Amino acid sequence: MPGDQTETEDRTTAADAQARDVAQLSDYARAHAEALEVLRGRPDMSDLVVRSMVPGWLATRYLWSMEASGAVMLLAGVLSWLANPGPWFLHAVDLLLLVLGGATMVRVWHEVRHRRAEAMRLREHGPDECDTLVDSGVVFHARPWWRRLLGLLFDLAVVALPVVVAVRAWTVGDPGQKLFSVLAVACVLLGSALMVHWARTGWQWRRAFLWEFDLDLPPVRQEWQVLLR
């Protein structure tokens, strides 16, 4: 029957498409695993950095927004402490902001150290195919969904809790506490925006470094092209 034949052809087409999808996923997983092996095989240059061989701007360029975010969050913690009318457990918000600001400044130090090590590797050994993939936006170490969820909840808490303190200050606080509470919330929002800016621009240091030292990214092997799709 014509109808049965059409239905059979549709099923065959769907099965072929599913088989292609499975094969593509298999190729992706294989290419991803091979690229990770290349990453793991890179030489560790952390203790071999020669300052004269890496530009000084690695410690500043495309990093100012993270530094500013840490400083602003520290300021937000101080302002929240000045604005906080209590009770005592609300001072956990002040501590949270201070810890977040301090952790961000420590992260700046780690980022500079990582950049210098990467710069030494690029100068000594040249860029590899994984550098090309990273420059194209490929992410090798994505966080699992539950960590992304926890990160989102933490970000929401960082923004929401100072607002709770501000509401409390405007309810029972004096004029000075009201002013400090508004400034604390503004600092938190500014610090969060600065971190978003860094997340979008911080990676560009690598491209600027390659351009300055005239280092060309190698082409990606054919088997890894699936990672770029």
Side-chain angles (χ1 to χ4, degrees):
M1 298 289 292
D4 295 339
Q5 183 177 359
T6 302
E7 183 177 355
T8 302
E9 291 176 353
D10 291 341
R11 290 178 179 176
T12 302
T13 302
D16 292 342
Q18 185 176 6
R20 286 195 300 269
D21 292 340
V22 171
Q24 187 173 8
L25 287 175
S26 178
D27 293 340
Y28 183 92
R30 187 182 304 110
H32 191 269
E34 291 175 356
L36 285 178
E37 285 299 318
V38 172
L39 284 177
R40 296 189 187 102
R42 283 176 171 177
D44 184 7
M45 307 294 290
S46 301
D47 299 324
L48 302 174
V49 174
V50 179
R51 293 291 185 89
S52 60
M53 294 184 64
V54 296
W57 59 258
L58 285 177
T60 56
R61 194 180 301 179
Y62 303 113
L63 198 59
W64 69 268
S65 52
M66 186 194 287
E67 294 174 332
S69 177
V72 168
M73 284 299 184
L74 288 173
L75 178 59
V78 174
L79 291 171
S80 180
W81 177 76
L82 293 173
N84 204 327
W88 64 268
F89 57 81
L90 276 182
H91 285 287
V93 178
D94 319 335
L95 181 61
L96 172 66
L97 295 176
L98 291 172
V99 170
L100 180 59
T104 303
M105 301 307 289
V106 172
R107 187 178 176 186
V108 170
W109 179 80
H110 280 289
E111 176 68 15
V112 172
R113 191 168 183 269
H114 168 72
R115 286 184 178 190
R116 287 171 175 163
E118 277 289 276
M120 279 299 299
R121 178 187 64 81
L122 290 169
R123 288 210 64 181
E124 288 292 302
H125 302 279
D128 55 30
E129 292 172 281
C130 289
D131 291 307
T132 306
L133 293 174
V134 170
D135 188 74
S136 301
V138 176
V139 178
F140 287 105
H141 301 288
R143 294 186 300 174
W145 68 268
W146 60 270
R147 287 190 60 185
R148 293 197 299 271
L149 178 60
L150 288 178
L152 176 61
L153 294 176
F154 179 78
D155 292 341
L156 292 175
V158 167
V159 175
L161 291 177
V163 175
V164 174
V165 173
V167 171
R168 176 70 176 170
W170 278 82
T171 302
V172 300
D174 56 43
Q177 289 175 319
K178 294 177 181 179
L179 174 62
F180 289 140
S181 68
V182 173
L183 293 176
V185 172
C187 285
V188 169
L189 294 176
L190 176 59
S192 301
L194 287 169
M195 281 303 295
V196 172
H197 178 270
W198 177 80
R200 293 181 176 178
T201 61
W203 60 272
Q204 295 181 16
W205 76 266
R206 187 186 302 268
R207 186 173 292 178
F209 179 85
L210 294 173
W211 179 84
E212 180 174 330
F213 289 92
D214 197 23
L215 298 173
D216 296 325
L217 291 171
V220 177
R221 67 189 70 173
Q222 184 63 35
E223 295 81 3
W224 290 9
Q225 292 293 328
V226 66
L227 297 174
L228 299 173
R229 297 172 187 169

